[in-house]
């Protein structure tokens, strides 16, 4: 059963593609923040498996915008107040401020 928070449930996303590597990211330092560590993990995850919260985090960090903004817009078309882990409309806020 698919994850109900997965972005794949909102549209045509079924690609196993991952965000392209602009540069090879070194492993995050041991004392990295949770945000930095999570962004490193998410960059290797298939785009179709990203959740609304994952999109919010990556878009908020300016990562993979050319690939993630179209997906975020599909999600927002279905649910303009899509909620990640923070509050209703957090994905919309991330998209508008990116």
């Amino acid at each position: 059963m698919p994850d109900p928070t997965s972005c794949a449930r909102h549209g045509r996303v079924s690609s196993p593609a991952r965000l392209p590597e602009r540069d090879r990211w070194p492993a995050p330092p041991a004392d990295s923040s949770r945000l930095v560590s999570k962004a490193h993990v998410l960059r290797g995850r298939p785009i179709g498996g990203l959740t609304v919260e994952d999109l919010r985090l990556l878009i908020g960090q300016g990562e993979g915008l050319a690939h993630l903004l179209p997906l975020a817009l599909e999600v927002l078309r279905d649910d303009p107040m899509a909620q990640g882990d923070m509050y209703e409309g957090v994905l919309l806020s991330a998209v508008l401020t990116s």
Side-chain angles (χ1 to χ4, degrees):
M1 178 176 203
D3 178 354
T5 63
S6 172
C7 292
R9 75 181 177 97
H10 289 281
R12 299 173 289 287
V13 179
S14 60
S15 170
R18 290 170 170 73
L19 289 177
E21 293 290 331
R22 287 185 306 216
D23 301 304
R24 284 282 176 195
W25 282 21
D31 62 347
S32 293
S33 69
R34 179 183 171 278
L35 177 64
V36 169
S37 297
K38 181 75 173 178
H40 273 75
V41 169
L42 292 176
R43 283 193 53 89
R45 188 171 290 170
I47 291 174
L50 295 175
T51 65
V52 170
E53 178 62 17
D54 298 338
L55 281 177
R56 180 208 60 85
L57 187 146
L58 288 168
I59 290 170
Q61 293 302 303
E63 293 299 326
L65 296 179
H67 302 277
L68 298 180
L69 286 175
L71 175 57
L73 291 175
E74 283 186 30
V75 171
L76 292 169
R77 191 174 307 124
D78 290 343
D79 180 5
M81 297 305 286
Q83 179 174 339
D85 292 347
M86 298 177 74
Y87 54 88
E88 285 186 17
V90 71
L91 181 59
L92 178 60
S93 178
V95 167
L96 292 174
T97 59
S98 67

